[in-house]
Amino acid sequence: MKTIAIIGAMQEEITPLLAYFKDYDTKNIGGNSYYIANYKNYKIIIAYSKIGKIHAALTCSSMILCFNADYIIFTGVAGGLSSDLKIGDIVLATSLCQYDVDITAFGHPLGFIPESSVYINTNKILNDIAKQVAKDKNIPLKDGIIASGDTFVSNRDKKQWIIENFNACAVEMEGASIAVVSNLLNIPFCVIRSISDSADDNADINFDEFLSTSAIKSASFVLSMVDKIIKI
Ligand code: ADE
């Protein structure tokens, strides 16, 4: 039986998924709860990691190494960097980077770690499924680079700096760790986010207001993807 793992960072990001699957078992590993449901010949594992790249890396590693995930999907919210991304829009990561990695002191480019790369591409098959879902549901899906770092960005200068240095369209705090772990362990992955704020001076207020509604949009998009993945 194949396994699809769905990861969020916060409880709010997975609550809509748990409400959908209703019937699940729970396993605890490393301070996280993993919810295991059976769905049409597939196993679906759902967890929230807690905020940040390290937590997300642990959850993603556990999904692959302890639960044998065949696919990793990240669902949640992000701060919009491009002016054409509005609150509630859905964004698909084409690739991810860690904007807070800096060993330029040794002559490396910003975001680069030796034996790794600045950008890690998401999986084409999963991305094509996301595009198909968007088409079927008439949802305008934007795609682009998503930048991750361990800071909630709520400042125009920092926002501008990330755009200029990484050409990213959205910012969040976990996606790149899903990319690093899944890529190293050869598991296809994708990152779907719905915009909760614009990473500007109002970001904290907008985030609190739109976290739940944007999280629901992302989760329901991912549920439609699951229905297509199980037909692969
Ligand atoms: N997730 C949602 N909005 C964010 C922001 N502005 N910065 C970092 N992560 C986010």
Side-chain angles (χ1 to χ4, degrees):
M1 191 186 275
K2 285 205 163 192
T3 299
I4 302 172
I6 311 176
I7 309 175
M10 301 172 72
Q11 175 75 60
E12 288 86 342
E13 292 168 326
I14 66 160
T15 296
L17 301 170
L18 299 179
Y20 180 81
F21 290 108
K22 289 188 193 81
D23 209 14
Y24 45 80
D25 292 332
T26 305
K27 270 198 175 155
N28 297 310
I29 299 176
N32 292 116
S33 296
Y34 293 82
Y35 305 100
I36 306 147
N38 288 311
Y39 187 63
K40 302 181 186 168
N41 278 344
Y42 265 70
K43 201 160 261 195
I44 313 288
I45 321 260
I46 299 163
Y48 78 90
S49 58
K50 299 191 284 286
I51 293 167
K53 291 189 290 163
I54 294 177
H55 286 132
L58 172 63
T59 303
C60 188
S61 304
S62 302
M63 287 291 202
I64 296 170
L65 300 173
C66 305
F67 292 98
N68 297 314
D70 295 290
Y71 302 96
I72 298 280
I73 306 178
F74 194 98
T75 179
V77 300
L81 299 178
S82 326
S83 52
D84 66 341
L85 277 176
K86 304 278 179 270
I87 290 171
D89 284 353
I90 303 224
V91 58
L92 169 72
T94 49
S95 67
L96 296 109
C97 59
Q98 299 184 64
Y99 72 78
D100 55 358
V101 160
D102 184 348
I103 48 171
T104 54
F106 296 92
H108 294 298
L110 259 180
F112 178 78
I113 292 174
E115 299 181 55
S116 186
S117 59
V118 177
Y119 299 100
I120 296 176
N121 291 336
T122 46
N123 179 261
K124 183 174 176 345
I125 294 169
L126 294 178
N127 290 349
D128 284 346
I129 286 174
K131 287 174 193 165
Q132 197 56 51
V133 165
K135 201 170 164 199
D136 292 353
K137 303 201 143 216
N138 213 7
I139 295 171
L141 180 67
K142 313 254 167 66
D143 64 7
I145 296 165
I146 293 186
S148 308
D150 286 323
T151 301
F152 182 83
V153 179
S154 56
N155 155 322
R156 281 160 172 253
D157 291 345
K158 180 133 195 167
K159 171 177 175 172
Q160 211 46 46
W161 182 89
I162 296 170
I163 296 170
E164 277 161 21
N165 285 285
F166 294 94
N167 194 27
C169 69
V171 65
E172 35 83 308
M173 302 177 69
E174 298 82 19
S177 29
I178 302 300
V180 170
V181 169
S182 305
N183 183 55
L184 287 172
L185 295 174
N186 277 318
I187 299 297
F189 73 97
C190 68
V191 176
I192 303 287
R193 296 272 189 174
S194 173
I195 300 301
S196 56
D197 59 84
S198 297
D200 55 13
D201 302 343
N202 298 320
D204 51 342
I205 294 164
N206 290 336
F207 180 88
D208 281 344
E209 185 174 353
F210 296 108
L211 167 63
S212 289
T213 46
S214 293
I216 289 169
K217 285 188 183 175
S218 179
S220 73
F221 190 93
V222 164
L223 284 172
S224 301
M225 287 183 67
V226 166
D227 277 324
K228 290 204 185 289
I229 294 169
I230 61 180
K231 289 183 189 142
I232 289 179

